[in-house]
Amino acid sequence: MSKSVLLLPGDGIGPEIVAEAEKVLHKVNEKFGLGLKFDSALVGGAAIDDSGVPLPEETLSKARDADAILLGAVGGPKWDALEMALRPEKGLLGLRSNLALFANLRPAILYPQLASASSLKPEVVSGLDIMIVRELTGGIYFGQPRGVRELENGERQGYNTYVYTESEIRRIGRVAFEAAQQRNKKLCSVDKANVLEVTVLWREIMEDLAKEYPDVELSHMYVDNAAMQLVRAPKQFDVIVTGNMFGDILSDEAAMLTGSIGMLPSASLNADKQGMYEPCHGSAPDIAGQGIANPLATILSAAMMLRYSLQAEEAAQAIEAAVSKVLDQGLRTADIMSEGHTRVSTLEMGEAVLAAL
Ligand code: NAD
């Protein structure tokens, strides 16, 4: 049965970078006989301009029906003055919650060709390839009760609740173990089990799950140590699994190790492996419309989409190899440009990836 892909270009540089990823997807669709069908819809500011809301019913309905979604980015100064509920970002959050995308996968890959872009020494980060699996719909960001209350002595107290049910831990754990199985079979679960009971349970469930994945080596690390190890010796990690808040912080830390936000893809998956794939960066309004944005994070997001939602591993690898090849050829968009390389536009970078395929 053919699988369907929904393209949501969004705002700013979104349409420019999604256009390049779309060409790449058409190419592998043909080359590997994947039988993918494509559709597109409006989200974010583009949808607000069209119909007044950031996530129109038609877009949500198409998203529900699709096997996978490729999103550019949303937002920009044009819509910043709107009230919270009508901001472009609500389109993104609405998609995440409506599709129950609980698992966020963020690889931090440093292509050896770009080692000088990192703030760490090249030998510490060259060849870095970590996958952070972050729980996205639970934990302290969503736990009840929450708020600011007044105590009897008149002082105000802010409070949030860090909660995870056993089933929430189990389902994110499974995604992480399976990701580790597809990689180097090492999984590090990050918690704060020396202080927080909720993460004592987290650790217990991870240990329990490990029995079902005997080929994966499970280890545990406290979050403060993990933050330190990520900058000290990041290559010790293969897959990291952690809760919403710790994952929020550690995935940004890991992303920065690579030095180039224009290179990083991400995936958010639900229980049916339906997923939304997007670059880690935003809509870059400062460079939108200039044809200089780096399309590689979006192209690599398309590769992740083929791997995790469309069961097309061979096509995913072909795209990743093509990206590596264009970097070997010395082609660089402005954000990753350094001396001795050839500066190319968004379009030229896309064309080079196509040629490498
Ligand atoms: P940003 O990621 O858009 O831009 C940060 C800097 O990185 C800018 O200088 C930009 O030019 C550069 N940059 C980003 N992507 C690039 C690419 N592919 N190639 C070359 N350079 C690139 O973050 P920001 O400036 O904080 O946010 C801009 C808008 O994007 C805001 O409206 C924000 O809300 C939105 N945003 C959206 C998402 C999303 O859609 N997932 C994520 C983050 C921010």
Side-chain angles (χ1 to χ4, degrees):
M1 211 178 73
S2 75
K3 300 221 170 180
S4 60
V5 172
L6 179 66
L7 302 167
L8 299 176
D11 310 319
I13 59 170
E16 302 166 47
I17 53 182
V18 168
E20 298 315 310
E22 186 180 359
K23 288 183 214 161
V24 168
L25 279 168
H26 281 293
K27 176 89 175 184
V28 292
N29 194 24
E30 197 181 302
K31 184 170 169 170
F32 295 95
L34 304 177
L36 301 178
K37 299 255 179 298
F38 297 90
D39 196 359
S40 65
L42 297 175
V43 71
I48 294 172
D49 289 351
D50 184 67
S51 62
V53 290
L55 181 59
E57 198 44 55
E58 187 194 349
T59 301
L60 183 57
S61 151
K62 283 184 178 185
R64 283 205 175 99
D65 291 344
D67 291 294
I69 300 160
L70 184 69
L71 176 102
V74 297
K78 182 175 175 190
W79 306 281
D80 277 353
L82 293 174
E83 63 170 287
M84 251 333 173
L86 286 176
R87 296 274 291 267
E89 292 76 8
K90 283 285 169 195
L92 198 59
L93 297 177
L95 282 166
R96 283 183 187 155
S97 60
N98 275 290
L99 302 178
L101 303 171
F102 69 89
N104 186 229
L105 275 63
R106 269 175 69 166
I109 298 168
L110 184 69
Y111 288 87
Q113 303 93 322
L114 301 178
S116 60
S118 175
S119 53
L120 296 190
K121 293 190 197 103
E123 63 269 26
V124 177
V125 287
S126 181
L128 180 78
D129 183 354
I130 304 176
M131 172 73 81
I132 298 197
V133 179
R134 165 189 171 195
E135 202 289 329
L136 202 58
T137 55
I140 195 165
Y141 291 176
F142 292 91
Q144 295 287 349
R146 61 191 294 157
V148 179
R149 61 190 161 202
E150 197 171 303
L151 299 177
E152 274 175 15
N153 66 5
E155 195 185 11
R156 284 184 306 154
Q157 182 188 53
Y159 58 102
N160 290 87
T161 310
Y162 192 172
V163 279
Y164 269 121
T165 60
E166 193 171 337
S167 58
E168 283 176 317
I169 303 170
R170 218 171 267 283
R171 69 178 184 177
I172 191 71
R174 283 193 198 289
V175 172
F177 274 101
E178 282 165 26
Q181 276 182 324
Q182 289 184 30
R183 295 171 43 100
N184 293 324
K185 303 188 168 49
K186 274 172 58 185
L187 176 63
C188 179
S189 170
V190 171
D191 61 37
K192 190 73 183 168
N194 50 344
V195 179
L196 299 170
E197 285 81 356
V198 48
T199 69
V200 173
L201 179 68
W202 176 282
R203 194 177 273 223
E204 200 182 300
I205 304 291
M206 290 297 162
E207 278 296 328
D208 194 37
L209 273 178
K211 295 176 198 142
E212 293 175 39
Y213 301 90
D215 52 332
V216 176
E217 182 195 322
L218 173 70
S219 62
H220 304 277
M221 196 179 276
Y222 297 138
V223 63
D224 42 347
N225 188 23
M228 200 165 73
Q229 295 300 329
L230 268 175
V231 286
R232 193 189 70 87
K235 283 191 266 184
Q236 69 185 284
F237 296 108
D238 178 21
V239 179
I240 292 176
V241 63
T242 189
N244 204 343
M245 178 170 58
F246 297 161
D248 190 2
I249 300 165
L250 293 182
S251 60
D252 269 20
E253 185 188 1
M256 274 306 108
L257 297 178
T258 73
S260 173
I261 194 144
M263 296 294 301
L264 295 175
S266 80
S268 304
L269 306 176
N270 68 18
D272 302 321
K273 291 281 162 69
Q274 184 197 24
M276 184 160 79
Y277 298 80
E278 53 182 312
C280 288
H281 59 72
S283 58
D286 54 332
I287 58 164
Q290 298 176 28
I292 59 171
N294 187 347
L296 293 179
T298 316
I299 290 172
L300 291 167
S301 299
M304 282 188 91
M305 178 169 82
L306 291 162
R307 171 169 299 126
Y308 292 107
S309 288
L310 302 171
Q311 288 74 48
E313 176 65 27
E314 208 186 348
Q317 284 184 19
I319 293 176
E320 287 161 355
V323 167
S324 193
K325 192 168 167 192
V326 301
L327 295 175
D328 278 338
Q329 290 164 351
L331 305 182
R332 304 281 188 271
T333 43
D335 57 310
I336 51 173
M337 182 63 190
S338 59
E339 224 181 292
H341 296 110
T342 310
R343 187 172 161 169
V344 294
S345 67
T346 309
L347 190 81
E348 287 164 337
M349 187 57 106
E351 296 292 331
V353 174
L354 280 183
L357 273 167

